[in-house]
Amino acid sequence: MGFVLRRLRGFCNVVSGYGLLTFTAPLRGWVALGILAYARLAGIALLVAAVAGLALFGWKDAAFYFHAGVGLFFLFAGSAKLGTTAVRQTVRGLGVLLVVVKGAEILLSWLLPTRYVLHGPIEFTCLILGVTSILAASYLPDQPSRRDGRGVS
């Protein structure tokens, strides 16, 4: 059971039930991204950030290899035939790793008088991806769900 919280004309409707928050698509079908699809998308986003960082800032910085490595772990978790509990634990653990490492990197670059150059968009993107990974591991369903959006069941 659920109820419509807000109706956004022409874009999407936000619907909530007792379980998780679901967004209805403009074509009247409910679409909730599954945890496996999220893991694959997060891996692709980290690999794109690593390639962009390597192309923009050069090969000498080891931080981009960290992004590529964590992105490959996300892709492995989303593509391997693991159970959803293992994928949730992996996504949550990698999210915590990203938040701790990138949070410490950003904080120390502001506090220490060293001349470390912060690559702002890449570090902040990974920090946001870490927070969303922790939230996704908690709230996304096991499988992508598609339902008829005409009524609330």
Side-chain angles (χ1 to χ4, degrees):
M1 295 186 88
F3 54 91
V4 176
L5 294 176
R6 179 186 298 161
R7 189 173 287 275
L8 301 174
R9 183 172 281 263
F11 181 66
C12 68
N13 301 326
V14 181
V15 177
S16 176
Y18 296 108
L20 59 111
L21 184 67
T22 308
F23 298 97
T24 61
L27 299 176
R28 295 188 183 250
W30 293 5
V31 178
L33 186 67
I35 189 69
L36 296 174
Y38 175 81
R40 290 184 204 123
L41 289 174
I44 291 169
L46 280 169
L47 287 174
V48 167
V51 169
L54 288 172
L56 293 175
F57 301 111
W59 293 89
K60 64 183 183 290
D61 198 0
F64 303 119
Y65 299 111
F66 170 76
H67 298 132
V70 175
L72 288 174
F73 277 123
F74 269 109
L75 279 176
F76 171 74
S79 301
K81 302 291 184 197
L82 301 173
T84 56
T85 304
V87 173
R88 283 186 191 283
Q89 290 175 348
T90 304
V91 167
R92 184 177 291 124
L94 290 173
V96 168
L97 177 72
L98 282 173
V99 168
V100 168
V101 169
K102 292 301 162 185
E105 186 177 351
I106 292 168
L107 184 67
L108 289 176
S109 69
W110 289 339
L111 294 178
L112 293 178
T114 59
R115 307 244 334 138
Y116 176 72
V117 177
L118 188 67
H119 306 111
I122 295 171
E123 274 85 9
F124 286 111
T125 301
C126 291
L127 184 66
I128 291 169
L129 187 67
V131 171
T132 56
S133 296
I134 295 169
L135 293 174
S138 299
Y139 297 113
L140 284 182
D142 293 340
Q143 299 293 327
S145 62
R146 295 177 188 273
R147 297 182 190 157
D148 186 16
R150 295 181 187 177
V152 179
S153 59

